[in-house]
């Protein structure tokens, strides 16, 4: 089925009212997207942030009249409040499959494949993780996840226990198990992430080695390796909790950090870890640290 799509660019204050207007005019969906390049990194759970200039997109059935909607919009809002109007017809597509065009098998450190369903790679000396895009973050396409997968695939994980702190889709916990880890704890503040992790663990037949936990319920047991791909600010705030999760001489892998934030995050963890120089991919970087052996007072 084809659709009419109308896109209206507006300032932050007007965007929600224009969204309501489109819903009242019969839009089957209303979406807000960034009109400039103003990334919003990780809003808090349940928080809806909006951009300084926002494009409000309404999707309408084909029998509606965009010209009537446009006329009514300009009657209700002054011209100054509507920065741009655009209308187009969206051709029919199999929407469930369109993501497939952009999501292809990816290989990390010559050892790990991450593949959509139906495109599993069977290559000697590699393992394959099956994952489809879903509601939770983490498909391997984003640099922050890719940096962690590269790390996992280039280290010996045999007999190691890991924590994937901020697990999203569970991609890091599942990859660790497929690469030989003994056990993984997948922790998140978002219940949706735990549902996604459980489903992805089932798809990859590793449920017996993965425990999904809400961060609030997680009883900290120090482990060999902690990976946390969150963002610089929460990584700094969570420093005491995350530090406590790493065994002496254990490894810490932090991601979700913009290159200009690396020094601050590194300094925050430095008192208890030997921190290495950041590994950079596009604007993002990964930090790796090794926990010092705590000195017992004489
Ligand atoms: C960028 S995603 C990373 C997902 C996945 N681990 C990956 O590498 O692709 C960050 C995840 O951290 C979770 N998160 C954010 N703040 C958190 C906190 N304070 N404690 C635990 N998880 C948190 C979010 O809900 C989200 O699922």
């Amino acid at each position: 089925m084809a659709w009419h799509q109308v896109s209206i660019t507006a300032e932050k204050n007007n965007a929600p009212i224009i969204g309501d207007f489109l819903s009242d005019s019969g839009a089957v969906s209303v979406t807000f997207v960034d009109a400039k390049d103003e990334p919003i990194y990780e809003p808090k759970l349940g928080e809806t942030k909006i951009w300084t200039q926002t494009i409000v997109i309404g999707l309408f059935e084909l029998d509606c009249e965009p010209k009537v909607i446009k006329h009514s919009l300009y009657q209700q809002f002054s011209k100054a409040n509507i920065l741009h109007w655009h209308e187009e017809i969206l051709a029919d597509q199999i929407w469930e499959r369109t993501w497939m065009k952009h999501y292809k098998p990816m290989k990390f450190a010559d050892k790990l494949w991450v593949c959509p369903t139906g495109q599993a790679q069977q290559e000697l000396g590699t393992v394959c993780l099956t994952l489809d895009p879903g509601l939770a973050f983490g498909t391997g396409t984003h640099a922050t996840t890719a940096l962690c997968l590269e790390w996992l695939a280039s280290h010996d994980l045999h007999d190691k226990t890991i924590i994937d702190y901020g697990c999203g889709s569970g991609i890091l916990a599942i990859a660790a198990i497929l690469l030989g880890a003994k056990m993984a704890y997948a922790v998140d503040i978002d219940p949706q992430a735990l549902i996604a992790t459980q489903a992805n663990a089932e798809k990859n037949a590793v449920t017996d080695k993965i425990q999904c936990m809400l961060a609030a319920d997680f009883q900290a047991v120090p482990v060999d390796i902690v990976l946390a791909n969150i963002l610089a600010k929460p990584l700094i705030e969570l420093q005491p909790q995350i530090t406590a999760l790493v065994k002496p001489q254990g490894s810490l892998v932090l991601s979700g950090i913009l290159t200009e934030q690396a020094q601050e995050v590194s300094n925050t963890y430095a008192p208890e870890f030997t921190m290495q120089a950041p590994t950079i991919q596009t604007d993002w970087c990964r930090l790796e640290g090794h926990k010092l052996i705590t000195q017992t007072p004489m």
Side-chain angles (χ1 to χ4, degrees):
M1 175 173 175
W3 303 88
H4 282 295
Q5 178 170 281
V6 306
S7 308
I8 300 142
T9 309
E11 298 289 355
K12 186 178 187 160
N13 293 344
N14 296 317
I17 326 168
I18 291 175
D20 290 345
F21 164 84
L22 292 178
S23 294
D24 294 344
S25 306
V28 292
S29 83
V30 175
T31 313
F32 297 91
V33 297
D34 187 5
K36 296 196 162 171
D37 186 14
E38 189 192 344
I40 291 175
Y41 295 117
E42 194 119 352
K44 292 210 164 61
L45 215 54
E47 183 183 20
T48 308
K49 284 201 173 170
I50 213 149
W51 298 271
T52 316
Q53 271 192 21
T54 296
I55 307 173
V56 189
I57 302 173
L59 205 61
F60 292 87
E61 288 182 359
L62 213 50
D63 58 2
C64 91
E65 275 293 342
K67 282 194 176 33
V68 175
I69 297 166
K70 184 176 182 184
H71 180 70
S72 162
L73 178 81
Y74 277 90
Q75 272 192 332
Q76 287 195 34
F77 300 89
S78 88
K79 250 189 173 169
N81 289 334
I82 300 157
L83 304 176
H84 184 69
W85 163 278
H86 176 76
E87 64 185 69
E88 63 186 302
I89 291 185
L90 284 192
D92 194 14
Q93 296 183 45
I94 305 171
W95 298 103
E96 296 85 343
R97 305 304 288 168
T98 40
W99 59 265
M100 288 286 277
K101 278 192 232 151
H102 309 287
Y103 189 44
K104 304 275 181 217
M106 291 165 285
K107 197 177 183 185
F108 299 92
D110 278 334
K111 241 176 139 183
L112 169 71
W113 282 99
V114 177
C115 303
T117 300
Q119 293 189 45
Q121 304 290 310
Q122 287 173 340
E123 187 191 348
L124 207 64
T126 67
V127 293
C128 182
L129 191 165
T130 302
L131 198 101
D132 296 323
L135 286 180
F137 186 103
T139 55
T141 51
H142 198 269
T144 60
T145 312
L147 282 161
C148 294
L149 293 172
E150 287 284 345
W151 190 94
L152 285 170
S154 49
H155 284 78
D156 180 8
L157 305 181
H158 283 95
D159 271 340
K160 305 280 191 234
T161 298
I162 76 130
I163 293 175
D164 175 2
Y165 203 90
C167 60
S169 65
I171 185 168
L172 303 182
I174 298 167
I177 297 298
L178 294 175
L179 287 161
K182 185 169 62 178
M183 175 75 201
Y185 295 95
V187 181
D188 209 290
I189 45 168
D190 183 355
Q192 184 60 47
L194 302 186
I195 294 169
T197 297
Q198 188 63 31
N200 287 325
E202 278 164 28
K203 193 175 274 179
N204 287 279
V206 292
T207 45
D208 55 331
K209 292 186 176 168
I210 294 191
Q211 267 194 40
C212 300
M213 322 268 297
L214 272 177
D217 301 336
F218 187 49
Q219 300 289 327
V221 190
V223 300
D224 306 299
I225 300 166
V226 174
L227 295 116
N229 173 15
I230 308 186
L231 277 176
K233 193 166 169 275
L235 287 174
I236 291 170
E237 288 167 1
L238 289 165
Q239 183 270 338
Q241 291 96 310
I242 291 179
T243 296
L245 295 176
V246 188
K247 272 184 184 169
Q249 292 186 289
S251 301
L252 174 69
V253 179
L254 303 175
S255 189
I257 305 161
L258 292 164
T259 43
E260 63 269 24
Q261 302 167 325
Q263 195 59 54
E264 191 186 352
V265 179
S266 189
N267 291 347
T268 307
Y269 284 84
E272 297 189 64
F273 291 88
T274 312
M275 298 301 291
Q276 296 188 359
T279 304
I280 296 169
Q281 188 173 324
T282 59
D283 296 337
W284 299 92
C285 71
R286 178 188 75 214
L287 285 172
E288 178 181 350
H290 297 281
K291 198 168 185 187
L292 303 167
I293 304 169
T294 341
Q295 300 290 325
T296 32
M298 302 282 286

